[in-house]
Amino acid sequence: MKNVCWPYFDPDFDNLTERIFGPTCRVCIDNESMEDCTVVMVDSVNKQGLLLEVVQVMTDLNLVISKSYISSDAKWFMDVFHVQDEQGKKLRDQNVINCIQQAIGSTRESTTPRSPKARAYTNNVSRPDHLSEHTAIEMSGTDRPGLFSEISAALADLHCNIVEAHAWSHNACLACVAYISDQSSHAPIEDPRRLASIEDHLTTLLRADMVPSISTGPSQIKSQEVKTGGLLGGEGTGTNVERRLHQLMLSVRDFDGPRMSSSSMNVNERSGTKMAVSIENCDQKGYSIVSIECKDRPRLMFDTVCTLTDMQYVIFHASVVSHGGRAFQEYFIRHDDGYPLSTESEKERVIKCLEAAIERRVCEGVWLKLCAENRVGLLSDITRVLRENGLAVVRADIATKGKEAVNAFYVRDVSGNEVDMGFIESMKKEMGLIDLEVKNDETTTTRANISSHDQSHRFSFGDLLKSQLERFSHNFIATK
């Protein structure tokens, strides 16, 4: 018998980097090098999705990333971020700095829970605490005017209290994640038969307009899906809600929706929102290079990194910079099988998905924020008034803080016209004592509680709107 010799591999070789550099990633925060921003440097053993987790931490803290340089070849991850707070200033709050270090330090091990102190400084959109206290429900499918209002009314009829909800509408598609509780006990809904009944009702509601026509055909109809339970998307309690909204939109192929008309594109070009996404291959290094230029905005890097990660692409190098209101991003990627994008159809699909991810968060219309004393059916009543007066909700962020409900909407006119601001001003006056904040592009009206005896507005609903609001206007209270 011949002797067979095999090379010896130390079984601990794969852990060598970790034994040299330590089991956790290193986070360095520098407030001295730059005059106008804080530099956050991250060094860590690499893993798939780590970049997204780091970007998500800073996005959850509402930090603005003005520059970033990423390198994650081999098994080591190195990243530099230039960040500012929401006011465009350096990070001076030591609690926020500690939160960054704790939260990023816990991302390397997916089983390591984020500390309560770190969670306390993240915003409501990404906080997973509700999953243990309430029942999560997610919906996706074809959108239509008034659908979010119908969903709110259906949940109220099913004796469900909406504790928190987030909804996006884009290219005739809807994605919604909500946290609900039982109306009477305020406890999570765990009865399988009741959860199945809720799913059936909402699925029927989403499919109400699924009638194929000769012009559209069955292939043009978006899939409808409703899921209830404690785990969003089956990925665990740490799943970011905004990431899940991106995934739901991707699942219903909102990137295949109708493109903007030429007139709309001209308006966008004049306003500086023109977007360019391109992909080319770097044959010598085996990368595909994704280049993005668009109008800068908060959470832009999160949206693009999230999309590439969920499409199973690995980001090896990246450069992100914003200047003069424009953002420039460049990603060196490969598919998770180690190969670059090989076909033109694959490149076209990635381009369309990135364009959709950038567009989803950009809403045309008027932003409304209503604060009132919380009660069962409040959201249903508010959205019904908006729907019955020709306004469609294209984005919603609903939250409850103690006994107060905070309802934020982007609304647009269902006929495609600009929202009549006289309509909104009259709405504020007709509602009486309610805390309502309105923002239309760069014009913002601060919170105002307008008494019913002030009749100086230039547009009135008269009995139409007043009769609708009188039924529940006494439930609104002013917030200080």
Side-chain angles (χ1 to χ4, degrees), residues 209-252:
D209 61 349
M210 286 186 63
V211 181
S213 66
I214 297 177
S215 60
T216 59
S219 62
Q220 298 296 322
I221 300 176
K222 308 295 182 181
S223 61
Q224 320 288 321
E225 187 174 30
V226 178
K227 290 182 180 180
T228 60
L231 303 180
L232 289 175
E235 295 191 15
T237 58
T239 302
N240 178 276
V241 173
E242 291 188 342
R243 181 179 181 185
R244 188 60 189 148
L245 289 170
H246 277 300
Q247 292 172 342
L248 291 171
M249 281 296 195
L250 194 65
S251 70
V252 294

Side-chain angles (χ1 to χ4, degrees), residues 169-188:
S169 175
H170 177 249
N171 278 348
C173 296
L174 174 75
C176 178
V177 174
Y179 300 103
I180 61 174
S181 63
D182 179 74
Q183 177 179 319
S184 57
S185 66
H186 302 287

Side-chain angles (χ1 to χ4, degrees), residues 60-354:
D60 291 349
L61 291 166
N62 295 320
L63 303 182
V64 178
I65 302 173
S66 58
K67 287 184 182 180
S68 182
Y69 306 97
I70 297 121
S71 178
S72 59
D73 260 345
K75 292 189 176 182
W76 195 251
F77 173 89
M78 294 180 291
D79 201 353
V80 178
F81 296 94
H82 292 195
V83 301
Q84 298 171 322
D85 62 17
E86 291 182 281
Q87 287 72 43
K89 299 178 181 179
K90 285 186 176 184
L91 307 184
R92 298 296 186 185
D93 189 337
Q94 190 59 44
N95 289 324
V96 174
I97 293 174
N98 293 340
C99 176
I100 294 173
Q101 293 174 323
Q102 293 174 15
I104 294 179
S106 68
T107 59
R108 207 189 63 79
E109 295 292 340
S110 59
T111 57
T112 303
R114 196 175 294 180
S115 68
K117 184 176 181 180
R119 288 199 305 268
Y121 286 91
T122 59
N123 59 27
N124 291 333
V125 169
S126 52
R127 194 176 56 207
D129 303 21
H130 296 292
L131 293 175
S132 61
E133 301 173 4
H134 304 98
T135 300
I137 181 169
E138 57 184 36
M139 295 154 275
S140 60
T142 304
D143 193 19
R144 63 179 182 270
L147 178 57
F148 185 72
S149 175
E150 295 175 31
I151 291 172
S152 304
L155 288 172
D157 291 341
L158 292 166
H159 307 289
C160 300
N161 181 38
I162 301 177
V163 181
E164 184 172 328
H166 305 279
W168 289 356
S169 175
H170 177 249
N171 278 348
C173 296
L174 174 75
C176 178
V177 174
Y179 300 103
I180 61 174
S181 63
D182 179 74
Q183 177 179 319
S184 57
S185 66
H186 302 287
I189 300 173
E190 299 176 343
D191 182 0
R193 290 177 297 179
R194 186 176 179 188
L195 290 176
S197 176
I198 293 172
E199 287 187 12
D200 289 342
H201 277 81
L202 294 177
T203 300
T204 301
L205 184 63
L206 288 171
R207 291 177 176 172
D209 61 349
M210 286 186 63
V211 181
S213 66
I214 297 177
S215 60
T216 59
S219 62
Q220 298 296 322
I221 300 176
K222 308 295 182 181
S223 61
Q224 320 288 321
E225 187 174 30
V226 178
K227 290 182 180 180
T228 60
L231 303 180
L232 289 175
E235 295 191 15
T237 58
T239 302
N240 178 276
V241 173
E242 291 188 342
R243 181 179 181 185
R244 188 60 189 148
L245 289 170
H246 277 300
Q247 292 172 342
L248 291 171
M249 281 296 195
L250 194 65
S251 70
V252 294
R253 302 177 64 87
D254 72 319
F255 54 87
D256 278 340
R259 308 304 299 164
M260 292 183 297
S261 64
S262 58
S263 60
S264 298
M265 292 179 67
N266 291 335
V267 171
N268 286 339
E269 288 180 15
R270 289 195 300 270
S271 63
T273 60
K274 185 179 179 181
M275 173 172 43
V277 182
S278 62
I279 300 177
E280 61 181 19
N281 283 350
C282 177
D283 296 329
Q284 292 131 345
K285 298 294 185 180
Y287 295 121
S288 292
I289 306 174
V290 179
S291 301
I292 302 172
E293 178 185 350
C294 63
K295 184 178 179 180
D296 192 24
R297 61 166 175 78
R299 301 175 181 263
L300 177 62
M301 187 176 180
F302 171 81
D303 294 338
T304 53
V305 172
C306 177
T307 299
L308 290 172
T309 302
D310 286 334
M311 294 182 72
Q312 306 303 313
Y313 293 103
V314 181
I315 299 172
F316 289 88
H317 304 282
S319 175
V320 175
V321 63
S322 60
H323 177 71
R326 303 288 293 174
F328 305 88
Q329 301 184 351
E330 190 173 63
Y331 298 101
F332 291 72
I333 67 171
R334 293 181 185 141
H335 201 272
D336 57 3
D337 60 8
Y339 292 95
L341 283 68
S342 56
T343 64
E344 290 303 317
S345 60
E346 185 180 13
K347 292 180 182 179
E348 180 64 23
R349 183 174 184 272
V350 173
I351 289 173
K352 292 171 68 175
C353 288
L354 286 171

Side-chain angles (χ1 to χ4, degrees), residues 428-442:
K428 290 165 61 176
K429 293 176 172 61
E430 297 283 356
M431 280 185 173
L433 293 179
I434 179 173
D435 190 11
L436 174 63
E437 185 178 353
V438 182
K439 181 164 59 177
N440 182 20
D441 295 328
E442 297 181 355

Side-chain angles (χ1 to χ4, degrees), residues 17-66:
T17 307
E18 200 167 306
R19 286 189 282 123
I20 292 175
F21 294 102
T24 59
C25 68
R26 296 179 296 179
V27 182
C28 177
I29 298 180
D30 178 8
N31 248 335
E32 305 300 327
S33 299
M34 308 297 294
E35 293 184 1
D36 58 346
C37 66
T38 299
V39 179
V40 179
M41 294 170 283
V42 182
D43 295 330
S44 172
V45 176
N46 193 26
K47 70 170 184 178
Q48 169 65 346
L50 178 60
L51 174 61
L52 175 58
E53 293 178 14
V54 173
V55 173
Q56 179 179 310
V57 167
M58 287 183 280
T59 302
D60 291 349
L61 291 166
N62 295 320
L63 303 182
V64 178
I65 302 173
S66 58

